[in-house]
Amino acid sequence: MGAAHSASEEVRELVGKTGFSSDQIEQLHRRFKQLSGDQPTIRKENFNNVPDLDLNPIRSKIVRAFFDNRNLRKGPSGLADEINFEDFLTIMSYFRPIDISMDEEQVELCRKEKLRFLFHMYDSDSDGRITLEEYRNVVEELLSGNPHIEKESARSIADGAMMEAASVCVGQMEPDQVYEGITFEDFLKIWQGIDIETKMHVRFLNMETMALCH
């Protein structure tokens, strides 16, 4: 009886921390056990057999994001070697669907958290800024599966996107002015009006697929 009470208390705490319902937590726990092989923690190699990830050109960045201390809310930089179930829920909470019961402020906070997770995927050195090289790296990975786009073309696409970001965030730049990179505030401006809420969510109904940003 004591163990059952303790387990239900733990679930209630997790509901409060993550915003998931108890049913969703139960489904995610089953998924966690599938990934970990019934072990108490998950390591990067546990993601090797996820079908959706095999097909994703930025697979390494998605997996890395699960172990990023910034996303785990454990520090401003660095990577964890492994994550437990509560850590897993913390990461999955970034993919939590918008709830119709949320007020405008809660929706905006949820959107900002999703974008922060995405920003961290680009900002690989954790310096709070997406540089041109970091942006190029992501674009090159995204386009790597297209045999018709050469690396140089991918770099040109990234350069053009960075120039557009500079114009949105800084405005008209002086000829000798250098745009050092996209800050999180800039990132929010760039994504203004884009529906990230429905593009980044947990697909609870199919336990064989992993929650992805697509």
Side-chain angles (χ1 to χ4, degrees):
M1 182 72 180
H5 178 74
S6 175
S8 61
E9 263 308 312
E10 188 178 346
V11 169
R12 277 199 293 272
E13 281 183 22
L14 291 173
V15 168
K17 283 182 182 178
T18 65
F20 287 125
S21 69
S22 56
D23 286 343
Q24 289 170 337
I25 287 173
E26 187 179 329
Q27 290 184 59
L28 286 169
H29 190 248
R30 287 201 298 270
R31 186 54 171 147
F32 178 85
K33 286 170 69 177
Q34 286 175 359
L35 282 169
S36 69
D38 265 345
Q39 296 302 307
T41 61
I42 287 175
R43 302 180 71 87
K44 292 186 185 71
E45 54 266 30
N46 293 117
F47 287 88
N48 289 340
N49 299 317
V50 178
D52 277 10
L53 284 177
D54 280 341
L55 302 174
N56 197 301
I58 57 169
R59 176 190 178 283
S60 63
K61 283 187 167 45
I62 292 171
V63 173
R64 186 181 187 279
F66 273 73
F67 297 85
D68 190 322
N69 283 331
R70 294 172 296 176
N71 297 331
L72 292 167
R73 298 164 189 159
K74 292 184 175 181
S77 63
L79 297 173
D81 292 326
E82 56 189 15
I83 57 173
N84 60 26
F85 180 57
E86 189 168 338
D87 294 330
F88 183 73
L89 281 183
T90 297
I91 296 297
M92 297 305 285
S93 69
Y94 293 99
F95 297 85
R96 188 162 54 91
I98 297 295
D99 194 308
I100 56 172
S101 66
M102 290 181 177
D103 59 30
E104 194 173 325
E105 187 176 337
Q106 289 171 318
V107 169
E108 185 56 33
L109 179 61
C110 184
R111 172 182 170 80
K112 187 175 284 190
E113 286 301 299
K114 289 176 185 293
L115 288 173
R116 193 179 296 280
F117 182 92
L118 209 53
F119 180 82
H120 291 161
M121 284 178 62
Y122 284 88
D123 177 26
S124 57
D125 63 2
S126 306
D127 70 347
R129 195 181 296 271
I130 301 168
T131 63
L132 177 56
E133 282 306 311
E134 287 173 326
Y135 200 83
R136 279 175 174 170
N137 181 255
V138 173
V139 172
E140 285 170 10
E141 285 189 22
L142 281 170
L143 300 178
S144 62
N146 190 325
H148 305 295
I149 298 180
E150 298 177 354
K151 187 171 182 178
E152 202 54 46
S153 298
R155 289 172 73 89
S156 297
I157 291 169
D159 292 359
M162 186 61 82
M163 286 178 64
E164 187 176 344
S167 68
V168 169
C169 303
V170 180
Q172 186 64 40
M173 295 177 66
E174 298 298 325
D176 60 345
Q177 189 176 354
V178 177
Y179 184 54
E180 294 181 356
I182 301 169
T183 63
F184 183 60
E185 289 69 29
D186 292 344
F187 200 68
L188 291 177
K189 289 179 189 175
I190 293 165
W191 280 81
Q192 192 170 2
I194 299 175
D195 183 15
I196 188 67
E197 293 87 340
T198 57
K199 295 178 184 296
M200 192 171 164
H201 63 278
V202 175
R203 291 173 285 187
F204 282 105
L205 297 180
N206 187 351
M207 291 305 292
E208 293 308 310
T209 60
M210 197 66 210
L212 302 176
C213 178
H214 59 275

